């Protein structure tokens, strides 16, 4: 396997490293750029409970992670090359992959579940294609009010 380039954009002082939870919310940590090389090699510990949190921040008791086993940690490793955040100068954003402290996949990792399903589909001769539905508002640059009347989501 070739080594992936996780170099930071110029001027980066902090990396927002995160993994998507079951609701598609990025959960993770802010890493000082001075520690980035170490994180790339060794990962960064994070509670697996963050993958069992719903949108109201209630933690679900699952067979894999629960109050009985103390919500063990996993490690996050960079998955993508960090990109500069357009809304926060000096911060780069990087998606992560998770693995247990035993270096095995985390069964409740939504991305891991997706990868497994894509592989299953490929084994059956299917190619998975997806698209996103982006919703946004068009605002008048002077008033910052919606440009249209009625439903303004596009």
């Amino acid at each position: 396997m070739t080594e992936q380039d996780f170099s930071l954009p110029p001027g980066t002082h902090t990396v927002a490293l995160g993994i998507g939870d079951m609701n598609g919310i990025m959960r993770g940590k802010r890493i000082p750029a001075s520690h980035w090389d170490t994180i790339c090699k060794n990962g960064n510990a994070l509670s697996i409970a963050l993958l069992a949190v719903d949108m109201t921040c209630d933690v679900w008791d699952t067979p894999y992670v629960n109050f009985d086993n103390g919500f063990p940690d996993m490690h996050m490793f960079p998955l993508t090359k960090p990109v500069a955040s357009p809304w926060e100068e000096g911060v780069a954003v990087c998606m992560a992959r998770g693995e247990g402290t035993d270096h095995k996949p985390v069964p409740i990792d939504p991305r891991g579940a997706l990868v497994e399903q894509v592989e299953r589909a490929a084994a059956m001769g299917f190619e998975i294609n997806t698209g996103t539905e982006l919703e946004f508002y068009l605002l008048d640059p002077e008033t910052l009010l919606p440009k249209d009347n009625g439903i303004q989501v596009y």
Side-chain angles (χ1 to χ4, degrees):
M1 185 170 126
T2 59
E3 193 169 313
Q4 196 166 348
D5 177 14
F6 295 120
S7 60
L8 297 175
T12 299
H13 57 71
T14 303
V15 181
L17 178 65
I19 189 167
D21 72 4
M22 65 180 169
N23 298 298
I25 298 170
M26 185 173 170
R27 307 283 184 178
K29 293 186 176 179
R30 295 172 67 89
I31 311 293
S34 58
H35 296 287
W36 184 242
D37 289 340
T38 301
I39 298 302
C40 290
K41 291 177 191 141
N42 303 323
N44 190 264
L46 185 73
S47 175
I48 296 174
L50 290 177
L51 297 179
V53 174
D54 67 17
M55 291 184 78
T56 63
C57 291
D58 286 334
V59 180
W60 292 20
D61 226 15
T62 73
Y64 183 72
V65 56
N66 52 60
F67 289 101
D68 291 335
N69 67 13
F71 297 100
D73 280 347
M74 64 177 179
H75 286 115
M76 290 188 304
F77 290 88
L79 180 65
T80 61
K81 184 174 179 169
V83 295
S85 168
W87 56 85
E88 195 172 5
E89 190 174 334
V91 175
V93 178
C94 181
M95 292 303 298
R97 64 177 178 81
E99 65 179 47
T101 54
D102 57 1
H103 302 290
K104 293 182 180 173
V106 177
I108 62 171
D109 175 8
R111 185 183 177 282
L114 175 63
V115 168
E116 286 178 20
Q117 295 307 312
V118 169
E119 289 172 352
R120 281 183 63 204
M124 293 186 282
F126 294 102
E127 180 182 350
I128 303 298
N129 294 302
T130 63
T132 60
E133 178 184 345
L134 302 177
E135 294 185 3
F136 58 92
Y137 295 88
L138 291 179
L139 303 178
D140 182 295
E142 292 178 17
T143 66
L144 297 181
L145 295 174
K147 288 182 93 52
D148 298 320
N149 294 324
I151 298 175
Q152 291 96 18
V153 178
Y154 293 91

